[in-house]
Amino acid sequence: MLVLVGLATLTVVHVSGPQDWTRIELTRSLALRGSVQVPADLPIDKSIYGGHTYADKAPGMSVLALPAFEVERALGVAKPRSKWDGEGDLSVWGLRLGAGGILFLLSVWLV
């Protein structure tokens, strides 16, 4: 049953959007610079304070995505937002899977 739930829910590659942009840029900033500041060129979902740009999302999911980002970076498949495929990028899917998908399957198993 766990395999069927995983196949039904985790194999879908969604189109990336503003939620992904903000969260993954925060993950990139944490991993690459050790900072919570994000690039100023984010089109939406950002906060500006004291001349610095920050994600306007809670950092929990971004922190959970750090191991998946480091794996992608080690494999050489981590891409900046400007190089994402707008129709569903596999790099973004991998980060989603690493951050929430594994925990989702664990939750299903516990239930």
Side-chain angles (χ1 to χ4, degrees):
M1 185 59 108
L2 192 60
V3 171
L4 291 176
V5 170
L7 287 173
T9 58
L10 302 178
T11 57
V12 179
V13 180
H14 296 283
V15 175
S16 62
Q19 298 292 325
D20 297 309
W21 302 341
T22 305
R23 293 186 196 284
I24 295 174
E25 285 297 339
L26 180 54
T27 300
R28 289 177 60 81
S29 292
L30 287 169
L32 301 176
R33 294 182 290 281
S35 171
V36 293
Q37 295 178 14
V38 296
D41 66 343
L42 280 174
I44 58 174
D45 284 355
K46 63 183 176 183
S47 299
I48 300 172
Y49 179 77
H52 300 287
T53 307
Y54 301 94
D56 66 350
K57 309 280 183 267
M61 288 304 291
S62 296
V63 170
L64 283 175
L66 279 170
F69 178 76
E70 291 298 338
V71 167
E72 283 191 359
R73 198 168 83 159
L75 295 174
V77 296
K79 298 184 279 189
R81 179 175 38 91
S82 61
K83 301 206 186 282
W84 289 354
D85 179 12
E87 296 299 318
D89 195 277
L90 291 179
S91 176
V92 175
W93 174 78
L95 289 173
R96 286 179 181 157
L97 182 66
I102 304 302
L103 293 174
F104 171 71
L105 285 180
L106 177 64
S107 300
V108 169
W109 180 73
L110 289 173
V111 169

